[in-house]
């Protein structure tokens, strides 16, 4: 299937259903609270009346299902190889937050034939009708699979902590994204959250430090979405496999997740006023598994 045919499928699907907002949550290194961010933002979006589904794209590591205390019966590979429907592979966690486990066979999807590719695109297009927000929880670092998700996403949420390694790895991730031949500055909006900070000032300083370097050398505009304080309640919730936003809504971290979710919704309203169209999940995933023979940028 060539790219033109993929786009015709996407266009046909988008004509009959609204498109969901796709937010890709990522980090330069592991252990910075990325999956916690994905889950708790999903819960906060649900409290605001949004329908939310998380795609666990950290393949091989079942972070989302463990943190939810839920065992999925099927994953994305079953959609391709076992003929399952999109509704079959969605597992519903607390507060009716849905999630899709990626499975370990995703790496071979780039070589799928026309029929399988069409099946994926058409089925994932159904998510646009089932939900308002899709959160893609990627693996950490700058692997090819992570970068594929980032270049396909209209919104990237970068989770960074005050640790020097987290800051440098966050910059390395953005540098790799910027140099990716299919990265489009006008399409992808990069946002940052400072996690596990001592206070609000430390979070702002962390953003300013990273943003100064990114602006100077990569020319990627970043938006600061806020910070989440170091809070022992988060770890206690993880141990009990319940999101802290549910277990202890009054916790400092829970309130911070709420503020970030509210800011992200405000940002969405601003985007709507600018009349910037969404690609939706079908186009998002087609961009990842589609042909890679399109126009590319010169090496930077």
């Amino acid at each position: 299937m060539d790219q033109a045919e993929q786009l015709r499928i996407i266009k046909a699907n988008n004509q009959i259903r609204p498109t969901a907002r796709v937010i890709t949550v990522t980090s330069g290194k592991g252990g910075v609270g990325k999956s916690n961010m994905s889950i708790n933002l999903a819960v906060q979006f649900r409290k605001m009346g949004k329908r939310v589904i998380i795609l666990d794209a950290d393949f091989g590591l079942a972070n989302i299902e463990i943190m939810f205390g839920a065992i999925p019966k099927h994953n994305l590979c079953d959609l391709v190889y076992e003929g399952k429907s999109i509704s079959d592979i969605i597992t519903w966690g607390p507060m009716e937050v849905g999630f899709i486990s990626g499975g370990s066979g995703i790496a071979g999807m780039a070589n799928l034939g026309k029929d399988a590719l069409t099946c994926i695109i058409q089925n994932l297009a159904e998510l646009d009708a089932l939900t308002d927000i899709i959160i893609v929880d990627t693996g950490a670092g700058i692997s090819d699979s992570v970068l594929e998700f980032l270049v396909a996403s209209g919104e990237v949420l970068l989770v960074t902590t005050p640790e020097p390694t987290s800051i440098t790895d966050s910059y390395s991730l953005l540098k790799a994204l910027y140099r990716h031949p299919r990265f489009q500055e006008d399409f992808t909006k990069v946002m940052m959250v400072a996690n596990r900070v001592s206070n609000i000032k430390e979070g702002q300083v962390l953003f300013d430090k990273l943003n100064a370097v990114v602006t100077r050398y990569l020319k990627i505009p970043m938006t600061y979405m806020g910070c989440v304080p170091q809070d022992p309640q988060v770890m206690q919730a993880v141990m009990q496999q319940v999101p802290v936003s549910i277990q202890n809504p009054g916790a400092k971290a829970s309130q911070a997740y709420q503020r970030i979710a509210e800011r992200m919704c405000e940002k969405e309203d601003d985007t709507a006023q600018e009349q910037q169209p969404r690609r939706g999940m079908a186009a998002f995933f087609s961009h990842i598994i589609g042909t890679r023979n399109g126009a590319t940028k010169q090496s930077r």
Side-chain angles (χ1 to χ4, degrees):
M1 177 188 298
D2 60 18
Q3 195 167 17
E5 188 169 352
Q6 292 178 35
L7 292 175
R8 282 194 293 271
I9 294 173
I10 294 164
K11 183 177 180 181
N13 279 285
N14 285 344
Q15 285 177 342
I16 61 174
R17 57 173 63 88
T19 55
R21 180 182 184 185
V22 180
I23 302 170
T24 302
V25 181
T26 192
S27 63
K29 68 185 293 292
V32 300
K34 174 181 54 59
S35 294
N36 251 318
M37 185 70 62
S38 297
I39 286 176
N40 282 284
L41 286 180
V43 170
Q44 295 297 341
F45 285 135
R46 281 293 298 135
K47 290 182 178 181
M48 299 165 67
K50 305 289 186 180
R51 299 171 300 167
V52 187
I53 292 176
I54 303 174
L55 171 61
D56 190 348
D58 193 355
F59 305 119
L61 298 175
N63 291 336
I64 300 298
E65 57 201 67
I66 290 175
M67 289 183 176
F68 269 153
I71 302 176
K73 294 182 179 180
H74 304 289
N75 58 46
L76 190 58
C77 294
D78 294 319
L79 182 73
V80 180
Y81 303 115
E82 302 297 332
K84 299 297 181 181
S85 68
I86 196 67
S87 59
D88 291 332
I89 67 171
I90 298 175
T91 302
W92 297 101
M95 289 189 63
E96 297 185 344
V97 174
F99 72 91
I100 296 174
S101 177
S104 59
I106 192 76
M109 288 192 176
N111 299 318
L112 290 174
K114 174 181 176 180
D115 291 341
L117 184 57
T118 302
C119 170
I120 292 174
I121 295 173
Q122 291 180 334
N123 276 278
L124 285 173
E126 297 295 331
L127 289 178
D128 286 331
L130 293 173
T131 189
D132 301 308
I133 299 174
I134 299 166
I135 297 177
V136 180
D137 185 54
T138 74
I142 57 174
S143 67
D144 289 342
S145 60
V146 170
L147 291 175
E148 290 294 341
F149 279 104
L150 298 185
V151 297
S153 182
E155 295 183 79
V156 172
L157 184 64
L158 176 65
V159 181
T160 308
T161 69
E163 298 176 26
T165 52
S166 177
I167 299 172
T168 55
D169 288 349
S170 290
Y171 176 75
S172 297
L173 174 64
L174 292 178
K175 183 178 179 180
L177 175 62
Y178 177 74
R179 290 183 170 179
H180 194 284
R182 289 184 290 113
F183 174 63
Q184 302 174 36
E185 296 95 331
D186 294 338
F187 170 66
T188 303
K189 294 184 177 181
V190 179
M191 304 169 286
M192 196 204 91
V193 170
N195 197 29
R196 298 175 185 164
V197 297
S198 300
N199 50 58
I200 294 176
K201 182 178 179 181
E202 184 179 34
Q204 185 66 56
V205 170
L206 174 58
F207 171 75
D208 291 342
K209 183 183 300 185
L210 180 60
N211 188 50
V213 180
V214 170
T215 301
R216 179 176 180 181
Y217 294 105
L218 304 182
K219 306 297 189 296
I220 298 177
M222 284 204 306
T223 302
Y224 184 48
M225 302 309 296
C227 63
V228 178
Q230 185 73 265
D231 188 346
Q233 296 293 329
V234 175
M235 184 53 63
Q236 291 181 22
V238 170
M239 295 299 293
Q240 297 181 26
Q241 296 180 284
V242 180
V244 68
S245 294
I246 294 177
Q247 185 184 73
N248 190 346
K252 294 185 295 184
S254 300
Q255 294 175 0
Y257 289 128
Q258 179 182 348
R259 289 191 293 269
I260 293 169
E262 289 172 349
R263 290 192 188 107
M264 295 187 75
C265 284
E266 291 172 359
K267 181 178 175 63
E268 172 68 358
D269 292 340
D270 293 340
T271 300
Q273 291 178 5
E274 295 170 5
Q275 296 183 337
Q276 296 182 6
R278 298 171 178 162
R279 288 190 177 184
M281 196 58 182
F284 173 87
F285 209 81
S286 176
H287 189 89
I288 294 172
I289 61 180
T291 59
R292 290 163 169 77
N293 298 323
T296 60
K297 297 187 302 183
Q298 295 180 348
S299 178
R300 299 176 191 251

